[in-house]
């Protein structure tokens, strides 16, 4: 598979296949939201739009980066989210990088949102769709976030079906600027377990597919065939 790794600002046109990576923490949080029962996640353009979407969808919950704020129910922390029951609910998510990256490629034929916790499921979906090429959107730090690049490179290698040791990729992520800022409390809205939770490889068995629904970018979990089923095809 031909893989390109670009920052959000480097996207000059929508690719056919886009894998938007935000390890710390948007798409780790999104995976946890689905694990906690969320039906779908609506990706918002702005904080104001997030609150407007919440108002339009009774029973939904709004989630943002940083500290708690009026109107928002949750912050972008897997450690805090894992104790929340989201059974059947819609989550409206707005983050600094991850949601921005997904919205930047909303015209792509296939948009996957990824992090280490869904890495193998994401790679498997790329394999089963026979994707000859994919653009990996490295969302953090203007495309230079090493935790996102490491995860993107790992998924790209796994998508070829090759056995790839994740150790070095996880090490890079764990030593990244984002990991340090979370661990040191530089960022707000953080749980002490956030970094460790972001580095849990293949915690969940589903990929996450984003698609336009009534002009909104909506993220849903996608459980593809098992590895055994895939091998028998």
């Amino acid at each position: 598979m031909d893989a390109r790794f670009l920052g959000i600002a480097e996207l000059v046109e929508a690719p056919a296949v886009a894998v938007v990576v935000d390890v710390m923490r948007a798409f780790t949080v999104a995976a946890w939201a689905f694990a906690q029962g969320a039906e779908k996640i609506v990706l918002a353009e702005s904080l104001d739009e997030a609150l407007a979407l919440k108002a339009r969808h009774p029973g939904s919950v709004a989630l943002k980066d940083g500290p708690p704020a009026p109107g928002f129910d949750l912050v972008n922390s897997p450690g805090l989210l894992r104790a929340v029951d989201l059974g059947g609910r819609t989550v409206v998510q707005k983050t600094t990088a991850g949601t921005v990256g997904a919205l930047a490629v909303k015209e792509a034929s296939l948009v996957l949102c990824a992090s280490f916790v869904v890495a193998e499921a994401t790679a498997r979906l790329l394999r089963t769709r026979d994707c000859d090429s994919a653009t990996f959107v490295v969302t953090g730090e203007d495309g230079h976030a090493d935790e996102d690049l490491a995860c993107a490179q790992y998924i790209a290698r796994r998508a070829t079906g090759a056995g790839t040791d994740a150790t070095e990729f996880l090490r890079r992520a764990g030593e990244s600027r984002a990991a340090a800022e979370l661990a040191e409390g530089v960022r707000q809205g953080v749980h002490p377990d956030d970094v460790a939770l972001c580095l849990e490889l293949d915690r969940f068995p589903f990929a996450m597919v984003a698609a336009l629904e009534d002009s909104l970018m909506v993220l849903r979990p996608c459980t593809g065939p098992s590895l055994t089923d895939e091998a028998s095809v």
Side-chain angles (χ1 to χ4, degrees), residues 8 20 22 26-27 41-46 63 65 76 92-105 113 139 217 219:
I8 297 171
V20 187
D22 190 324
F27 297 139
I41 298 174
V42 181
L43 305 179
E45 295 266 8
S46 66
L63 181 157
D65 273 337
N76 193 45
V92 180
Q93 185 181 33
K94 169 66 179 93
T95 69
T96 305
T99 59
V100 176
L103 290 165
V105 293
C113 295
T139 60
M217 197 64 166
L219 187 63

Side-chain angles (χ1 to χ4, degrees), residues 16-152:
V17 176
V19 182
V20 187
V21 182
D22 190 324
V23 172
M24 297 185 187
R25 293 165 286 173
F27 297 139
T28 300
V29 165
W32 270 99
F34 290 128
Q36 294 302 104
E39 177 186 356
K40 62 183 179 182
I41 298 174
V42 181
L43 305 179
E45 295 266 8
S46 66
L47 296 177
D48 287 343
E49 184 189 41
L51 293 178
L53 288 169
K54 176 189 172 183
R56 282 165 45 191
H57 296 82
S60 63
V61 297
L63 181 157
K64 65 177 283 293
D65 273 337
F72 286 88
D73 308 278
L74 303 167
V75 294
N76 193 45
S77 161
L80 295 172
L81 190 68
R82 63 183 169 173
V84 179
D85 181 4
L86 295 172
R89 302 180 78 177
T90 294
V91 174
V92 180
Q93 185 181 33
K94 169 66 179 93
T95 69
T96 305
T99 59
V100 176
L103 290 165
V105 293
K106 62 184 179 182
E107 302 297 335
S109 299
L110 175 64
V111 179
L112 304 179
C113 295
S115 61
F116 280 111
V117 297
V118 293
E120 175 54 31
T122 303
R124 183 169 62 238
L125 185 55
L126 290 169
R127 293 197 299 268
T128 57
R129 296 286 182 94
D130 293 324
C131 297
D132 294 327
S133 64
T135 295
F136 289 81
V137 183
V138 179
T139 60
E141 298 178 31
D142 297 322
H144 299 290
D146 201 36
E147 74 280 4
D148 293 339
L149 180 59
C151 183

